[in-house]
């Protein structure tokens, strides 16, 4: 159980840290938008990034459990689950950033 919780927490912290870095780059990317337009895009990114962080953390939890059922050690299962779901989370957070810019652009053009 300790390996599953460690995988969950480690993946969550990694995804949150990467989300914060992407948020900083997103702020720079939205430099040309007005504040009211960029707020919608940043809000969408934050909500989606939190959902991605939570879902990938739960995925790492279950993958570590599945690997332990297949006779992997606790350390090995955590060392496999964390990078797999961290990489998936980073990719999804990049997609979330693009969605945030898309929402900001949609608001800028239509409202």
């Amino acid at each position: 159980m300790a390996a599953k919780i460690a995988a969950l927490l480690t993946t969550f912290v990694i995804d949150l840290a990467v989300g914060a870095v992407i948020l900083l780059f997103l702020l720079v990317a939205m430099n040309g938008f007005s504040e009211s337009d960029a707020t919608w895009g940043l809000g969408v990114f934050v909500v989606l990034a939190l959902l991605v962080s939570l879902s990938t953390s739960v995925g790492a939890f279950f993958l570590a459990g599945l690997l332990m059922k297949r006779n992997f050690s606790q350390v090995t299962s955590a060392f496999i689950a964390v990078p797999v779901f961290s990489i998936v989370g980073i990719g999804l957070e990049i997609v979330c950033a693009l969605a945030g810019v898309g929402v900001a652009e949609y608001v800028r053009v239509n409202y």
Side-chain angles (χ1 to χ4, degrees), residues 30-53:
M30 289 190 181
N31 190 23
F33 289 97
S34 69
E35 182 182 358
S36 61
D37 297 339
T39 301
W40 287 100
L42 293 174
V44 165
F45 171 73
V46 168
V47 169
L48 290 177
L50 284 175
L51 289 174
V52 165
S53 295

Side-chain angles (χ1 to χ4, degrees), residues 79-103:
F79 279 159
I80 291 172
V82 169
V84 166
F85 277 96
S86 294
I87 292 170
V88 168
I90 291 168
L92 290 174
E93 285 181 352
I94 291 171
V95 171
C96 293
L98 295 174
V101 171
V103 167

Side-chain angles (χ1 to χ4, degrees), residues 1 9 12 20 25 31-32 34-35 38 43 49 56 62-63 66 68 80 90 108:
M1 187 66 161
L9 291 176
F12 187 70
F25 284 114
N31 190 23
S34 69
E35 182 182 358
T56 55
F62 287 125
L63 180 61
L66 179 71
M68 284 190 292
I80 291 172
I90 291 168
R108 184 185 70 82

